[in-house]
Amino acid sequence: MPGGAAPPPSGATDLTSRVEAPVTLKAYLMCVFAAFGGIFFGYDSGYISGVMGMEYFIHVFEGAGATALPAWKKSLITSILSAGTFFGALIAGDLADWIGRRVTVILGCLVFIVGVVLQTASAGLGLIVAGRLVAGFGVGFVSAIIILYMSEIAPRKVRGAIVSGYQFCICVGLLLASSVDYGTQERNDSGSYRIPIGLQMAWAMILATGLFFLPESPRFFVKKGQLDKAAATLARLRDQPVESAYIQDELMEIVANHEFEMSVIPHGNYFQSWANCFRGSLWDSKSYLRRTVLGTSMQMMQQWTGINFVFYFGTTFFQQLGTIQNPFLISLITTLVNVCSTPVSFYTMERLGRRPLLIWGALGMCICEFIVAIIGTCLPDNDNAVKAMIALICIYIFFFATTWGPGAWVVIGEIFPLPMRAKGVALSTASNWLWNCIIAVITPYMVDPDKGNLGAKVFYIWGSLCACCFVYAYLLIPETKGLTLEQVDQMLSETNPRTSAKWVPHSTYAGGEVKTEKEVGHVEMTDRESV
């Protein structure tokens, strides 16, 4: 068969074990390219920290004698992107169901480029704020829908690794931003900040061009009732002929799951489709409300780890410590640690699972942040103490990059059923950007010398919030590794987070074995096979 895949075993009837074709290199590479969307997401988040610390940029925006931007300008310039992204993510949920996942991402790239042009042309506060707002809409489109797109096209056995690749690309974007900032910081002309800003257009053009040659999500075509297109797209993604038993089995399962979900939710107008996201009881694991709250709260918790404090305000924070000769170099090192650590999750996300990584990752970050806060409080002016703080911040970044960084994106792409998946992922991503915006607004007021002047004490706050993340992960995060999206939907209806790792597929939607929620009976609980 094409792609070197072996045919299904003769006489096989257990659809739970063969609802998806074996992974081929071609299929894997097609899914991996979509992760490139993380590059300009990360770059756009990362360049602003260095730019706001550049002497020439400060003089252009504040006057020749200024040494730093005031807290309110840093807050506005940083947070306005997140504000635009919040609304862009919500709009993208509708567009993804209307015009398709792939086209929505391409449209987001075009909107982003317009915003970058405005920022590059800026020589004052008004235009750079307007440009970051417009670019935020584009980032919102991409950050919400690229996760949806990747989750829907990726084979189940490598879905966690591929979506983790998106977080890796975010880290690469942050590293590229820090590298460019480091290279242009000494320029005494507008190129010092216009080069880092303008370079973002290249990443958007690469992603948009590549997506023209990738297929649409087969689950989008199923949602639209275009089953011929769904079959053709699925065959291309799995590198199998359309008539292959693998393709027919997987397509039947997707269609049957969609029909089942549509049979148990009310149909209505546009507003009803959004209202369905909040349908059911918070205490019922099968309800749509429960899944919406899980997705939005998980993204909130990811922001509560404090990671964007390091990447948004790292350069200016290290400048304020007063004992570091080159804050730009330290920021570059922290982003390099982020990049080098994230690939570890490609293996651990599928081998160890989502749930244990998120639990222990939160604990590791909590410990590191409290130690940083204690050292910074007791020995604020000691050079060796500052070096220890930087080392612990790097260890903290390692824990984030291997757990919560990719893990939160992986889980939100898996927990929503098809009828509400686009809107559910959009709401979850919007939550990420809402809290991103809140943190970007309040952080300068917490740490700037003329405001809260917390300095290293701010890590007491981040450490306490990571302790909340630890409790949250233990109580609420399910294990989803090794399951198709349809099996995840079934698992969430039949178990709870603390027993989810033992759940195994026992029936299929296509076989008519999955019952309505009142008819679900006893589920066999055995250890799920590692994939």
Side-chain angles (χ1 to χ4, degrees):
M1 298 183 74
S10 177
T13 59
D14 183 11
L15 289 179
T16 63
S17 64
R18 65 176 182 103
V19 291
E20 194 173 86
V23 182
T24 65
L25 179 61
K26 176 184 174 183
Y28 183 79
L29 293 177
M30 290 176 68
C31 298
V32 164
F33 178 80
F36 188 85
I39 292 273
F40 77 83
F41 173 11
Y43 188 97
D44 194 58
S45 299
Y47 85 85
I48 197 62
S49 173
V51 164
M52 290 192 300
M54 290 179 181
E55 184 177 351
Y56 187 86
F57 183 83
I58 293 170
H59 290 170
V60 168
F61 283 75
E62 284 299 297
T67 58
L69 293 177
W72 73 270
K73 284 190 178 180
K74 285 194 291 186
S75 174
L76 176 62
I77 292 172
T78 305
S79 64
I80 196 66
L81 176 88
S82 303
T85 309
F86 170 78
F87 292 105
L90 292 178
I91 295 170
D94 286 325
L95 288 176
D97 279 342
W98 179 36
I99 62 176
R101 284 65 160 135
R102 186 177 63 98
V103 178
T104 301
V105 175
I106 293 172
L107 180 61
C109 292
L110 299 178
V111 173
F112 177 77
I113 289 173
V114 173
V116 172
V117 170
L118 293 176
Q119 292 176 71
T120 306
S122 66
L125 183 65
L127 196 55
I128 196 168
V129 168
R132 282 180 65 78
L133 179 64
V134 173
F137 275 90
V139 174
F141 282 23
V142 175
S143 62
I145 305 308
I146 203 74
I147 290 295
L148 171 66
Y149 178 67
M150 292 169 66
S151 297
E152 289 192 339
I153 69 173
R156 61 173 172 164
K157 292 185 178 181
V158 294
R159 187 176 61 241
I162 287 175
V163 178
S164 295
Y166 173 73
Q167 177 66 23
F168 175 68
C169 287
I170 292 176
C171 300
V172 171
L174 288 165
L175 177 62
L176 289 171
S178 293
S179 301
V180 176
D181 285 347
Y182 184 73
T184 65
Q185 60 171 312
E186 300 294 340
R187 290 179 65 108
N188 195 30
D189 56 30
S190 64
S192 61
Y193 69 90
R194 282 180 171 151
I195 291 174
I197 293 174
L199 192 60
Q200 299 173 95
M201 287 186 280
W203 320 133
M205 288 188 287
I206 291 172
L207 178 63
T209 302
L211 282 174
F212 271 113
F213 301 98
L214 289 182
E216 180 55 81
S217 163
R219 289 173 169 88
F220 168 73
F221 287 128
V222 168
K223 186 176 176 66
K224 290 293 187 181
Q226 300 172 354
L227 300 188
D228 289 344
K229 290 183 178 180
T233 299
L234 195 59
R236 185 179 171 193
L237 285 169
R238 301 292 181 255
D239 198 17
Q240 299 280 333
V242 175
E243 62 275 10
S244 163
Y246 283 122
I247 301 303
Q248 296 303 315
D249 289 346
E250 184 173 0
L251 182 61
M252 282 193 299
E253 185 69 359
I254 295 171
V255 172
N257 170 257
H258 182 248
E259 291 177 347
F260 170 78
E261 292 294 338
M262 294 300 291
S263 70
V264 297
I265 63 172
H267 302 284
N269 55 27
Y270 169 80
F271 296 103
Q272 181 64 57
S273 67
W274 276 101
N276 285 335
C277 295
F278 304 95
R279 179 175 174 266
S281 168
L282 186 61
W283 312 111
D284 181 3
S285 62
K286 298 176 283 294
S287 74
Y288 284 10
L289 174 63
R290 175 77 169 259
R291 301 189 196 193
T292 299
V293 170
L294 177 60
T296 53
S297 61
M298 174 163 288
Q299 290 295 316
M300 175 185 73
M301 289 292 177
Q302 190 202 56
Q303 290 300 305
W304 278 15
T305 62
I307 194 66
N308 278 332
F309 167 74
V310 177
F311 294 127
Y312 279 168
F313 301 104
T315 303
T316 53
F317 172 73
F318 293 133
Q319 286 173 337
Q320 290 166 10
L321 291 178
T323 57
I324 297 176
Q325 294 181 348
N326 195 335
F328 284 88
L329 180 60
I330 301 302
S331 294
L332 181 59
I333 291 172
T334 58
T335 55
L336 185 60
V337 171
N338 198 23
V339 170
C340 294
S341 302
T342 302
V344 174
S345 68
F346 298 175
Y347 174 79
T348 56
M349 197 64 64
E350 297 297 355
R351 183 64 179 175
L352 302 179
R354 287 65 156 152
R355 178 177 164 81
L357 285 180
L358 293 170
I359 291 173
W360 297 112
L363 181 61
M365 288 187 289
C366 176
I367 293 171
C368 289
E369 289 178 314
F370 275 127
I371 296 175
V372 169
I374 292 169
I375 293 174
T377 302
C378 299
L379 301 168
D381 301 318
N382 185 294
D383 287 350
N384 290 328
V386 170
K387 291 177 183 177
M389 289 169 58
I390 293 171
L392 284 162
I393 289 173
C394 289
I395 297 172
Y396 149 70
I397 291 172
F398 168 81
F399 277 113
F400 176 84
T402 55
T403 60
W404 277 85
W409 294 109
V410 171
V411 173
I412 69 163
E414 297 175 328
I415 60 175
F416 297 106
L418 182 56
M420 65 166 293
R421 186 171 295 139
K423 291 180 173 62
V425 174
L427 285 168
S428 301
T429 307
S431 172
N432 179 290
W433 288 107
L434 174 63
W435 285 98
N436 192 310
C437 181
I438 291 171
I439 291 171
V441 168
I442 66 175
T443 299
Y445 293 96
M446 292 194 295
V447 300
D448 276 17
D450 60 335
K451 300 296 181 183
N453 197 26
L454 287 178
K457 297 183 185 70
V458 74
F459 282 94
Y460 282 121
I461 297 174
W462 306 133
S464 299
L465 292 174
C466 279
C468 296
C469 292
F470 173 76
V471 176
Y472 170 89
Y474 177 75
L475 294 176
L476 296 177
I477 294 177
E479 183 53 72
T480 56
K481 78 178 179 77
L483 302 176
T484 67
L485 296 181
E486 288 67 40
Q487 288 169 347
V488 170
D489 185 38
Q490 187 180 347
M491 178 270 291
L492 290 174
S493 297
E494 298 178 353
T495 187
N496 63 66
R498 280 169 286 177
T499 59
S500 58
K502 296 182 178 180
W503 186 91
V504 291
H506 57 89
S507 56
T508 63
Y509 290 95
E513 299 155 317
V514 178
K515 307 300 181 183
T516 62
E517 55 190 55
K518 292 183 180 180
E519 298 173 318
V520 172
H522 174 71
V523 180
E524 179 185 3
M525 305 294 280
T526 59
D527 289 334
R528 190 180 308 160
E529 291 183 348
S530 298
V531 293

